[in-house]
Every structure is written in C-alpha cells, then in structure tokens.
Amino acid sequence: MTSTRPVRIAVQIRPQHAPYERIRDVAAELEDAGVDILFNWDHFFPLSGEPDGLHFESWTMLAAFAEQTSRVEIGALVNCNSYRNAQLQADMARTIDHISAKGGTGRFIFGTGSGWFERDYVEYGYDFGTVGSRLDDLAASLPLIEERWARLNPAPTRKIPVLIGGGGERKTLRLVAKHADIWHSFSDLPTLDRKLGILAKHGEDVGRDVSEIEISTEVANRSIDEATALHERGATLFTLGTGGPDYAIPGLDEWLSWRDGLNA
C-alpha cells in the first residue's frame, strides 16, 4: 500500500563530538544539498563515543537552525517530554515556529517522546520513573500542549505537526493515533506491517483515520532496496543520521536521487 504522500529525506544532526561552528556549517550544507528536514536529538550527553565529549542542547539549537535556514523543516527526533513543563514546551514550539516562518509559514515539527536515557535524568535532577510512568506523563502533556497552542498570542503560523517516536503497541501507538501527524519508528518490514495493523485498531478506538498520519522510519543502516519495500508499505519520511566530528553521510546523493525518482 504505497502512500500518495511525497517521499521526504531527513537528516538527524547528532549534536555531539563537534564544536557548534561545525554543526552550523553542516546544517547549511544539508539545506543546500536538498534534504527536506533537519532533526537533532534531545539529550544532554553523547550517546556514542566519548561519554563526556562535546555536546549541545536541543531546543536552543533548533531556534538557531530556524533563523539560519530558509527552506528545510526542523525539529527534534525526539524532544524528551520529561524535561520541561508541557505548557512551556508549547510556547517554545510556537516561538520557533515563528522564528522559522520569515514572513510565511513556520517550518517547526514538534517531535516528542517519553525519554529513555537515564543519565540525562540523573545528572540533571529529573525523576527517571519507569517506562510506564514516563509514557503516562507524555499522555497527560499532549492535550495541554495542544490547548496552549490554541490560546497563545500570536498563534502558531500553522497547525504545528506533532511527531511521536516509539513503537510501544499498547500506549505509544494509542498516543500516535490520538495526537500524531507523523509516527517515527525503527521498524523493519514485518514489524512495520504488524504495528500498522495495531495503529489502525487504535485509530478505530479513538475515532481517527490513521491514514492521515505520515509514516517515518530510520534508514541509516538500511539499503535503498529495503527503503523501497518500506515505502511500498506506506513509509514516506526516511531519516539518515550523522554525528561529529566529521558528519559524513555516505550515499546522501543516492538517497536524494531515489527520493526524486519516486516523487517524479
């Protein structure tokens, strides 16, 4: 079941092991190359390499990306709901939406999730809780974020797209069915097939046509043939990852050509 949505290529710029000047240059290079979306991640420490290596914070970087760029969409893959008051997150997202608009429509994607990296919590003084409690907190926050968007002055420039990351079948996919415009996972083809069926059932339960939801997946370790099979099942947003110090993305030109061929 191939989606009629255009295929998009995103790159997650992992904000680790490089000075900010290099990260800024990479963002510019990727926009010039023609990628559709720039993501970062919402952690406080590197997730690979030297554990105490260079690292920068997500939201302030996204505001800088919003000012620096003019075409690409931007967001976190994904924001950690636990670190910030829900209503503050809404206001921050609306502000970046306006920064990115530059007289037109904003380019911010509100990517969010429940959090998982314990060191972030312990060293910054947040309650780590459990997988279940963090998901419950996310479920409580999403309606507050949506309500705050409706009350802010000025309002967002558009309906800010909500991306929810994760594949939990009982809680996460229900949140996707209720709130998400984009669902991001790391699923292979059999897993994606199964989870799309579960997502459709949650959609029936909450009264949502889940065909409205864009299907997003990570392809950093996948071939174009594998991505083609995922596209044939409905995925249209494909994310490559890159990290410092060099930020190499082998095969980026091939991925962009593949996108363009499918969208022709």
Side-chain angles (χ1 to χ4, degrees):
M1 183 186 66
T2 303
S3 173
T4 59
R5 286 188 183 85
V7 171
R8 302 195 288 170
I9 297 293
V11 174
Q12 183 185 50
I13 301 173
R14 300 164 185 151
Q16 61 178 15
H17 304 310
Y20 185 71
E21 292 81 1
R22 178 58 184 141
I23 294 171
R24 181 174 56 219
D25 289 348
V26 168
E29 291 162 9
L30 290 171
E31 182 171 48
D32 289 346
V35 303
D36 299 291
I37 302 171
L38 300 181
F39 289 120
N40 62 12
W41 67 30
D42 191 16
H43 295 287
F44 303 132
F45 303 95
L47 297 186
S48 61
E50 168 53 49
D52 295 314
L54 298 175
H55 198 277
F56 292 96
E57 194 274 331
S58 171
W59 280 85
T60 44
M61 180 180 295
L62 291 172
F65 282 179
E67 186 61 51
Q68 169 188 345
T69 60
S70 60
R71 180 188 57 78
V72 290
E73 291 191 275
I74 53 175
L77 194 64
V78 289
N79 169 63
C80 179
N81 177 70
S82 305
Y83 304 156
R84 305 164 190 91
N85 170 278
Q87 316 244 11
L88 174 61
Q89 292 180 66
D91 205 340
M92 293 162 67
R94 181 281 312 256
T95 299
I96 297 178
D97 168 71
H98 276 264
I99 294 169
S100 69
K102 298 185 177 179
T105 300
R107 296 174 285 117
F108 183 73
I109 296 171
F110 182 68
T112 195
S114 59
W116 63 272
F117 188 44
E118 188 171 8
R119 186 184 180 191
D120 289 333
Y121 289 79
V122 171
E123 295 216 22
Y124 276 62
Y126 296 106
D127 178 19
F128 188 54
T130 65
V131 172
S133 69
R134 294 193 299 276
L135 279 167
D136 289 344
D137 288 343
L138 179 60
S141 292
L142 286 166
L144 297 175
I145 290 165
E146 294 164 351
E147 291 166 10
R148 178 56 59 182
W149 280 336
R151 296 168 58 190
L152 287 168
N153 185 17
T157 67
R158 63 172 179 170
K159 182 191 181 298
I160 296 175
V162 174
L163 178 154
I164 295 178
E169 297 178 0
R170 185 171 65 87
K171 289 186 175 183
T172 302
L173 289 180
R174 188 174 182 86
L175 293 177
V176 171
K178 288 186 69 173
H179 298 283
D181 301 287
I182 306 168
W183 169 51
H184 180 81
S185 78
F186 298 85
S187 301
D188 58 20
L189 189 58
T191 304
L192 182 65
D193 276 330
R194 186 182 75 254
K195 290 184 186 293
L196 285 174
I198 295 167
L199 178 60
K201 180 61 170 64
H202 283 306
E204 292 172 5
D205 292 343
V206 303
R208 174 95 183 276
D209 178 1
V210 297
S211 68
E212 300 171 355
I213 301 169
E214 184 172 16
I215 307 304
S216 168
T217 190
E218 173 77 35
V219 290
N221 297 311
R222 300 191 192 282
S223 68
I224 285 178
D225 286 345
E226 289 173 295
T228 300
L230 291 166
H231 176 249
E232 289 171 353
R233 191 61 188 90
T236 58
L237 175 52
F238 298 89
T239 299
L240 303 161
T242 185
D246 57 350
Y247 286 101
I249 312 175
L252 178 61
D253 288 345
E254 287 79 5
W255 283 105
L256 294 174
S257 295
W258 172 76
R259 174 202 65 188
D260 293 345
L262 289 173
N263 290 341

